[in-house]
Amino acid sequence: MRRFAAMVDSEVGRALRSVLDRVQTAAAKRPEHLPKVQPRLVAVTKTKPKELILSAYKAGQRHFGENYVQELTDKASDPEIVGQLNDIRWHFIGHLQRNKVNKVTGIPNLYMVETVDSEKLATAINASWEKLGRTDRLKVMIQVNTSREEQKHGTSPEKVCDLYKHVVENCPHLQAVGIMTIGVYDYDLRNGPNPDFQVLLECRTNICQTFNLQPEDVELSMGMSTDFEHAIEVGSTNIRVGSTIFGARQYPGSKPPPKTTPNNPNATPNDQQQQTTTDKVESTRQKLDAVNVNS
């Protein structure tokens, strides 16, 4: 079993190093006028087992993100994670309902909530953090619905300054550190720069002008597995990457994703790398599960 666990460590570590190399390459392509801020990599472990978190942590990763409250609660309170990963930093990156705020604020090593999308939610998080008796302020980001899609959460670009002001002036236990967006999935960069990223950049400009801040004072959380390099090149300081590190996600009852191979004319090198990571990690996981069952 140790040999199989070492194989998982090796594959995750290799994928993580590849992503970090791509982060550095993208950061070097930034225009001179953008803040020289080292992008933060948040490894998204949604639907992934704790073994992959342990492997990424061993490889040096510290920031991890989860979309679902219960999944974050289960993983963050797991005895092995609590006992071994002392300085893990959890980001909540999914939609947060007010009736679940206390669960999230009670998470061990909670570092940031990236999805504050209303004054009521900000107020609820502030009150919950205060009740815990914490002396440090909880870092939060304002989520902006840059694509204006009805199914997506987030405040409108026109109201982002109002929400930012509410956090700064009425939520003393929170620290507004930036803004985030999800944006349209699978945007084709052949059509030009991602418009969602451009809208978020404009929102930051408005915040800086309104509150007399410098661009480096307002983080930008934008970019995921399919577009994080472009996001960094245009100014992202916080990227959320999951499948490129841990392999494609599979949900209970869902069919495996179609494989991307060199015979597929639409396959890119990054697609092939992601599929290779998925295959290797999943193969090793199956072997590890078999050992656990038979032991």
Side-chain angles (χ1 to χ4, degrees), residues 177-231:
V177 298
I179 51 181
M180 75 87 79
T181 187
I182 296 175
V184 175
Y185 293 113
D186 297 326
Y187 175 77
D188 190 344
L189 291 176
R190 290 176 296 183
N191 296 325
N194 189 315
D196 290 305
F197 298 167
Q198 297 303 308
V199 170
L200 202 68
L201 285 164
E202 292 175 6
C203 288
R204 180 173 69 178
T205 297
N206 293 336
I207 289 173
C208 289
Q209 292 175 347
T210 302
F211 299 98
N212 194 27
L213 298 172
Q214 297 300 314
E216 53 266 29
D217 296 328
V218 183
E219 292 193 39
L220 297 179
S221 178
M222 57 188 192
M224 297 183 286
S225 283
T226 59
D227 56 11
F228 71 86
E229 288 161 300
H230 171 61

Side-chain angles (χ1 to χ4, degrees), residues 21-22 49 51 99 110 156 183 203 242 273:
D21 286 344
R22 291 164 62 187
E51 288 84 358
N99 63 352
L110 178 66
S156 67
C203 288
Q273 176 187 339

Side-chain angles (χ1 to χ4, degrees), residues 142-291:
I142 306 301
Q143 182 177 1
V144 186
N145 186 353
T146 54
S147 59
R148 302 180 187 274
E149 296 172 87
E150 291 185 3
Q151 69 271 27
K152 284 194 171 70
H153 299 282
T155 189
S156 67
E158 294 80 14
K159 295 181 179 179
V160 65
C161 284
D162 292 337
L163 183 48
Y164 201 93
K165 180 179 180 181
H166 175 78
V167 173
V168 171
E169 295 185 353
N170 301 300
C171 300
H173 301 281
L174 305 183
Q175 180 184 3
V177 298
I179 51 181
M180 75 87 79
T181 187
I182 296 175
V184 175
Y185 293 113
D186 297 326
Y187 175 77
D188 190 344
L189 291 176
R190 290 176 296 183
N191 296 325
N194 189 315
D196 290 305
F197 298 167
Q198 297 303 308
V199 170
L200 202 68
L201 285 164
E202 292 175 6
C203 288
R204 180 173 69 178
T205 297
N206 293 336
I207 289 173
C208 289
Q209 292 175 347
T210 302
F211 299 98
N212 194 27
L213 298 172
Q214 297 300 314
E216 53 266 29
D217 296 328
V218 183
E219 292 193 39
L220 297 179
S221 178
M222 57 188 192
M224 297 183 286
S225 283
T226 59
D227 56 11
F228 71 86
E229 288 161 300
H230 171 61
I232 291 172
E233 289 176 19
V234 299
S236 178
T237 61
N238 188 86
I239 58 171
R240 311 176 302 273
V241 179
S243 56
T244 303
I245 300 172
F246 303 111
R249 298 184 185 94
Q250 285 188 243
Y251 299 90
S254 65
K255 295 181 180 180
K259 290 191 175 184
T260 310
T261 68
N263 295 325
N264 182 348
N266 296 319
T268 67
N270 291 340
D271 291 332
Q272 296 172 23
Q273 176 187 339
Q274 178 173 320
Q275 185 61 54
T276 299
T277 301
T278 299
D279 292 344
K280 289 183 177 179
V281 172
E282 183 59 28
S283 175
T284 307
R285 278 283 304 149
Q286 290 175 358
K287 293 176 182 177
L288 183 59
D289 289 342
V291 171

